[in-house]
Amino acid sequence: MIVLKTKEEIEIMRQAALLVSKALGMLATEIKPGVTTLHLDKLAEQYIRDHGGTPGFLGLYGCPCTLLTSVNEQIVHGLPTNRALEDGDVVSCDLGAIVNEYYGDHCYTFEVGEVAPETKKLLQVTKESLYVGIREFKLGNRVEDVGSAIQRYAESHGYSVVRELVGHGLGKKMHEAPEMPNYGKKGRGKLFQEGMTVAIEPMINMGTKNIKQLIDGWTIVTRDGKPSAHFEHDVALVDGKPELLSTFAYIYKALGIVSDEEEEFRKQPLVLS
């Protein structure tokens, strides 16, 4: 069952989403060669707790960590380890937090040092596909309109879309209805309704779409060992249009990146705090 949110509930969810956004902004300054993903996990947990939230992943379905860190060919659900990040790596940092009973869920794939041009392009196209999908999250459209748009965009650049892992509804539960696949056929799936809140999160591979799970029971990797990228936003359907609850602005501020990519999805400019 799809749980529609009031505007007041959406504002609480925005607080949760922004806490995760700020935590990822903090991590942006820490991600560099020589740093372990286990260290990043500890920093993320401390930040969320210090700012009034509860880690959203820790203990969920038995998850042993606060921050999921997926490096290079790892697509999602990578568990933090003592392996040090190396120059040229990419690492997706997927993070969740609970604020006043509601979840925020947000992901960004970071470059570590100097990354190969072909990998940079994968990250760029994956992030662009996220916004291509968000534009289709509007009244009158259906679930697979979002997935179809993401799929067409990614595949037009020669990449593949993971099938087994999808976005989802979001609220007092981390995973609510509906599932939000990153592929599909226009005009199919649940009809979007005012007050829906979802996590849209394309997972795009440089090579094959086929995947496998590692023996740890969590980490999902590309079957051909080629890199993957993952970006995620929390989005609400407000006045018939998509409105971002999360933001990459804190990451961009930390990294010195100038971008206006989110402006079309906000009724008023975001004020960083």
Side-chain angles (χ1 to χ4, degrees), residues 58-189:
L58 186 61
L60 183 69
Y61 311 128
C63 181
C65 57
T66 293
L67 180 72
L68 294 167
T69 52
S70 303
V71 182
N72 298 333
E73 77 280 2
Q74 296 177 354
I75 303 167
V76 288
H77 304 165
L79 298 182
T81 70
N82 281 317
R83 173 199 182 278
L85 295 172
E86 299 179 3
D87 188 64
D89 285 344
V90 292
V91 54
S92 77
C93 291
D94 193 358
L95 184 61
I98 305 168
V99 175
N100 294 328
E101 300 185 57
Y102 286 89
Y103 278 90
D105 181 18
H106 197 29
C107 182
Y108 191 90
T109 301
F110 293 91
E111 300 177 15
V112 183
E114 291 297 320
V115 172
E118 59 268 26
T119 307
K120 281 180 175 283
K121 184 181 177 184
L122 170 68
L123 269 58
Q124 175 188 338
V125 169
T126 303
K127 182 153 64 70
E128 289 170 353
S129 77
L130 170 61
Y131 294 110
V132 167
I134 290 172
R135 289 189 190 101
E136 299 302 316
F137 181 57
K138 57 188 178 182
L139 284 185
N141 276 6
R142 295 178 179 273
V143 164
E144 290 193 32
D145 291 325
V146 172
S148 173
I150 291 171
Q151 180 183 6
R152 289 199 312 272
Y153 191 82
E155 291 180 350
S156 73
H157 287 83
Y159 302 126
S160 63
V161 179
V162 174
R163 300 299 200 271
E164 294 88 346
L165 305 158
V166 298
H168 50 90
L170 189 70
K172 286 190 173 182
K173 295 181 179 179
M174 172 63 75
H175 297 109
E176 295 186 350
E179 290 191 343
M180 297 290 295
N182 300 303
Y183 61 93
K185 183 176 181 180
K186 283 180 67 66
R188 294 199 310 198

Side-chain angles (χ1 to χ4, degrees), residues 25-36 39-40 43 85 255:
M26 175 274 296
L27 291 176
T29 63
E30 302 290 335
I31 294 173
K32 60 192 73 172
V35 172
T36 69
H39 177 65
L40 297 176
L43 290 176
L85 295 172
L255 299 179

Side-chain angles (χ1 to χ4, degrees), residues 231-273:
F231 292 87
E232 177 180 21
H233 268 311
D234 299 343
V235 194
L237 191 54
V238 179
D239 297 331
K241 298 178 180 179
E243 183 172 334
L244 287 184
L245 304 181
S246 53
T247 182
F248 294 145
Y250 293 98
I251 295 171
Y252 293 163
K253 181 179 180 181
L255 299 179
I257 297 171
V258 178
S259 173
D260 62 358
E261 66 191 18
E262 296 180 2
E263 288 184 7
E264 66 180 283
F265 306 110
R266 298 192 185 282
K267 291 182 179 179
Q268 53 191 11
L270 178 71
V271 179
L272 298 186
S273 59

